[in-house]
Amino acid sequence: MPLVAAAVCPHPPLLVPEVAGAAAPELDDLRAAADAAVARLLATEPEVLLLVGAGPGTERLGTADYGSLRPFGLDRFVRLWKVNCSGVDALPLSLTIGAWLVHRSGAELPRLAWTVAADASPAEAVALGATLVPDDDPRCALLVLGDGSACRGVTAPGYDDPRAEAYDEGVAAALASADADALRDLDPVLSAELRAAGRAAWQVLAGAVGAAGGDWRGELGYHRAPYGVAYLVANWERA
């Protein structure tokens, strides 16, 4: 099967040190974990990288498309891959940070990207994942971008919700054990109430792994909730 591995990383704009400014050291451990996950993904020797993250709609993006960090105070564009006049400002935050992570790794592999609508149903997200990597494609690795709940305490963006910790623990357990079924079963209503931006993208991952078949193993590299938002980093590889 052409799907050789996957990595899951969060997409807070503060991951970019220039955006975080003086607070950048507060996320050094998350930055290091994300870098390590991308490096491990590249070590599986894929021929192409496919980035998946939530956005306003479900669509495939162009290889020259880019995203902007201007909304977060940094006058910088981040391209997905190629530089030519056909690219447009189309990357949502999830893929902008994903592209930044890949550029940071120094990888020169071809890369593609899909957005999945943030409000896509689980069935829609899983179906998208099942069609992302056809059998005749080159060896492909997925970089899946998504945050956990944003309701971990009274200073969190979504304030405090007592359901948030259990939700995040469930996602962490699924990522640690490569449990695609558990990701498929994430409740979209609860996820939205907890402002979990990664739900749809994680379900795309579940669909992709299900379609690829075989046994998979997972490893959780980071699971904390600085600023009241759960950030999770993981790698999935064939067993």
Side-chain angles (χ1 to χ4, degrees):
M1 291 293 181
L3 181 61
V4 296
V8 173
C9 291
H11 52 72
L14 292 177
L15 204 57
V16 179
E18 296 90 337
V19 172
E26 296 176 10
L27 290 183
D28 278 349
D29 54 350
L30 173 57
R31 218 169 277 117
D35 286 342
V38 172
R40 182 168 171 175
L41 187 68
L42 296 171
T44 64
E45 301 183 342
E47 297 171 86
V48 62
L49 290 177
L50 176 56
L51 283 66
V52 177
T58 297
E59 62 177 328
R60 180 173 175 170
L61 300 174
T63 55
D65 289 346
Y66 55 89
S68 176
L69 292 171
R70 283 180 174 174
F72 310 102
L74 181 63
D75 189 11
R76 180 182 300 176
F77 294 107
V78 182
R79 289 194 178 272
L80 176 59
W81 179 35
K82 293 183 177 180
V83 178
N84 62 49
C85 61
S86 68
V88 296
D89 185 355
L91 301 188
L93 173 62
S94 60
L95 296 181
T96 299
I97 298 301
W100 178 82
L101 284 170
V102 175
H103 284 301
R104 181 175 165 90
S105 75
E108 298 182 357
L109 290 174
R111 61 208 66 158
L112 306 170
W114 273 86
T115 60
V116 57
D119 60 354
S121 71
E124 290 168 338
V126 169
L128 173 62
T131 61
L132 280 184
V133 188
D135 290 346
D136 57 354
D137 268 15
R139 288 170 55 88
C140 178
L142 291 181
L143 177 57
V144 180
L145 290 309
D147 296 348
S149 76
C151 299
R152 298 285 295 275
V154 296
T155 61
Y159 197 63
D160 184 58
D161 190 311
R163 302 171 296 174
E165 184 172 358
Y167 177 94
D168 294 326
E169 290 292 340
V171 173
L175 293 177
S177 59
D179 188 343
D181 289 338
L183 295 182
R184 288 190 195 97
D185 290 341
L186 290 173
D187 182 352
V189 175
L190 175 61
S191 300
E193 291 173 350
L194 297 178
R195 299 176 63 169
R199 188 272 308 171
W202 298 329
Q203 290 177 327
V204 172
L205 168 62
V209 167
D215 294 326
W216 292 76
R217 63 176 181 269
E219 184 172 327
L220 194 66
Y222 185 97
H223 175 209
R224 298 177 191 169
Y227 315 129
V229 181
Y231 299 138
L232 303 105
V233 176
N235 286 88
W236 285 18
E237 297 168 354
R238 289 187 174 274

